[in-house]
Amino acid sequence: MYKVKDRNGRVMRTCDFEITVNDEEAPLPQNCPGDIWRKTERGRPDSVVSWAEPTAWDNVDGDQVTRRKVNGPDSGTRFKVGSHQIKYEFEDSRGNKNSCEFRVIIQDKEKPTVLGCPKNKVLEVYKQNDWSAHPSWKAPRGRDNVDGLDVKVELVAGLQPGEKFTVGPDEDKNVATMIYHIWDKHGNIATCQFEITLKKNTSQDEGDDYKGTLETQSPEEPEQEEEDGPAETLKAQRINQQRLKDRAEELKRKRAEAIKRSAKQATQGLGKFKKPHMSKTHEERRMETPGKWKEMSKKLREAGQQVSEGFGGGTSKESTFWTISKALLLVAVILIPSAAGLYFAIDYFLGPPKGKRLESNKGGVLSGVFGGNSKKEKSTDCV
């Protein structure tokens, strides 16, 4: 509190205020993971993913910051194929909040399992049948770790089942290769491939045309995908570290901008600042003082203007009239009383002594000067 005192020590004015320092800086996340990429486990539509829980540091509370996970599964649980948004929220004791966000992305990289792929077959053909055959088979099927039996089967090369297959006149055999692709919904492709070989039987002219169904193989499990080697692991770590570094730089930049913005708002009287504390008496005086000072200043200005005009400061007709009026007033107030006093002083000291009558004008010693009666009267002197 400040006090304004006069020379005698009396308190004339008081000024009291409070300085409030607000913590508006949000906690800074630490060890926030980058995006985590995983493949589905073999034969499963999901994968177990774990990570270290992120922390945060506050400029006031230190590491005593409240952490809440507000979105996404917990660490150590199974994640299905797709992208999962994970979000942690940090809050300090003043209610300032910040967050750590990253994604867990599970990819299906496993090919479907091929079911019922026909076996390779060698068939004999005869001259009677124009060295031809009509082999038949059932199209293969597929089973996927994510999509189940909902896969797409497509013949991309070879013959259709039951289609005529012939050996040329100048050839002893002919080989047809059939290729089927089994697709899952994530673009993984398994292949079923088999061959049918036709050979000419020249030992006899007649024989049966093969129209049977080819045997099938046992389900073909997809090949095991190679795990990421050390080089891939290091590459993923570098990418995550760079993301963390970029995020830290972004938070640092936003913090500097917030400080500059708060300082600018403070100088302009704006921003999220509470009204300073002020006593009721001080508030009343503060509200009354401007009006009083304004009125007093107005009176002082008017008085100064009048004085300046009275001493020749003005050039208008009103200023000249006011100067003449003051001069006449000065004569009336000072000269007339002075003349009257001088008259009585002369009459008292220069007049006739008391107790003796002299023949004189009735107006006294100065009657002639001021026009007294000039008629002479007789008088008797008293001795």
Side-chain angles (χ1 to χ4, degrees):
M1 175 183 290
Y2 289 89
K3 296 181 180 180
V4 180
K5 299 181 179 180
D6 60 10
R7 295 179 179 179
N8 297 323
R10 292 179 299 178
V11 177
M12 304 298 294
R13 293 286 187 274
T14 60
C15 172
D16 61 296
F17 57 91
E18 290 184 354
I19 298 176
T20 304
V21 179
N22 295 324
D23 175 21
E24 297 184 353
E25 184 175 344
L28 183 63
Q30 304 286 328
N31 304 321
C32 184
D35 292 344
I36 301 174
W37 298 75
R38 292 288 186 275
K39 299 176 183 178
T40 54
E41 297 177 6
R42 183 174 178 80
R44 292 191 59 91
D46 51 23
S47 181
V48 177
V49 181
S50 301
W51 61 85
E53 300 283 346
T55 58
W57 180 266
D58 187 61
N59 60 323
V60 175
D61 302 325
D63 58 355
Q64 302 300 314
V65 178
T66 302
R67 180 183 63 196
R68 293 185 296 270
K69 191 171 70 62
V70 296
N71 190 42
D74 296 329
S75 174
T77 58
R78 288 192 171 274
F79 288 76
K80 294 183 178 181
V81 173
S83 178
H84 305 268
Q85 190 75 19
I86 311 298
K87 182 177 181 180
Y88 287 87
E89 189 175 79
F90 303 95
E91 183 176 0
D92 62 14
S93 58
R94 275 76 178 176
N96 301 307
K97 297 180 181 180
N98 206 342
S99 62
C100 162
E101 297 184 49
F102 60 95
R103 295 179 301 166
V104 175
I105 303 167
I106 306 300
Q107 295 178 303
D108 176 21
K109 295 293 185 179
E110 185 175 331
K111 299 176 182 179
T113 299
V114 179
L115 304 176
C117 185
K119 295 181 180 180
N120 296 333
K121 186 71 174 178
V122 178
L123 302 176
E124 291 184 347
V125 293
Y126 304 93
K127 184 178 180 181
Q128 180 184 357
N129 299 324
D130 296 330
W131 311 107
S132 299
H134 296 78
S136 180
W137 61 88
K138 291 183 179 180
R141 297 170 290 113
R143 181 181 64 237
D144 187 60
N145 61 319
V146 177
D147 303 322
L149 298 177
D150 187 13
V151 295
K152 179 182 178 181
V153 179
E154 181 181 9
L155 177 64
V156 295
L159 306 173
Q160 293 288 345
E163 185 178 348
K164 183 179 179 179
F165 184 27
T166 303
V167 180
D170 299 331
E171 298 176 349
D172 293 333
K173 65 178 181 179
N174 193 5
V175 179
T177 302
M178 271 59 69
I179 300 176
Y180 281 88
H181 281 175
I182 295 91
W183 306 62
D184 66 10
K185 294 181 179 179
H186 298 96
N188 301 303
I189 302 175
T191 302
C192 165
Q193 179 175 329
F194 61 96
E195 294 180 350
I196 298 177
T197 304
L198 298 185
K199 287 186 177 182
K200 292 181 178 180
N201 188 342
T202 57
S203 62
Q204 57 185 37
D205 295 336
E206 298 180 0
D208 295 333
D209 181 6
Y210 184 83
K211 296 182 179 179
T213 302
L214 302 181
E215 295 181 0
T216 59
Q217 303 175 12
S218 60
E220 296 180 5
E221 297 292 338
E223 297 179 358
Q224 180 70 30
E225 293 286 341
E226 294 183 1
E227 296 294 333
D228 294 338
E232 293 295 331
T233 302
L234 292 176
K235 181 179 179 181
Q237 291 177 354
R238 286 195 298 269
I239 293 174
N240 284 338
Q241 289 175 358
Q242 184 62 38
R243 288 176 179 171
L244 292 176
K245 183 178 179 180
D246 294 342
R247 184 175 179 84
E249 291 294 333
E250 180 68 14
L251 291 173
K252 184 178 180 181
R253 183 183 63 81
K254 290 182 178 180
R255 176 184 176 186
E257 291 178 355
I259 293 173
K260 291 181 180 178
R261 186 167 56 253
S262 299
K264 182 177 180 181
Q265 291 175 347
T267 58
Q268 297 176 351
L270 304 175
K272 300 179 181 179
F273 299 102
K274 296 181 179 179
K275 181 180 179 181
H277 171 74
M278 188 177 297
S279 64
K280 185 176 180 180
T281 303
H282 187 191
E283 179 69 16
E284 292 176 353
R285 290 178 179 176
R286 191 179 67 84
M287 296 301 293
E288 293 175 357
T289 300
K292 292 182 178 180
W293 279 106
K294 186 175 181 180
E295 184 179 356
M296 184 180 297
S297 299
K298 183 178 179 181
K299 291 181 178 180
L300 290 174
R301 284 197 301 271
E302 292 177 353
Q305 185 177 0
Q306 292 176 1
V307 171
S308 63
E309 292 176 354
F311 284 96
T315 58
S316 62
K317 295 180 180 180
E318 294 181 359
S319 300
T320 304
F321 176 76
W322 177 244
T323 304
I324 296 173
S325 299
K326 288 194 293 183
L328 294 176
L329 181 63
L330 183 64
V331 171
V333 173
I334 298 177
L335 297 182
I336 294 176
S338 300
L342 181 61
Y343 171 78
F344 287 109
I346 294 172
D347 186 60
Y348 179 79
F349 290 105
L350 301 180
K354 292 183 179 181
K356 182 178 180 181
R357 289 185 180 273
L358 297 176
E359 184 177 354
S360 61
N361 294 330
K362 191 173 182 179
V365 176
L366 300 177
S367 61
V369 178
F370 293 96
N373 189 2
S374 61
K375 184 179 180 180
K376 296 182 179 179
E377 295 181 358
K378 294 183 178 179
S379 61
T380 56
D381 296 333
C382 296
V383 178

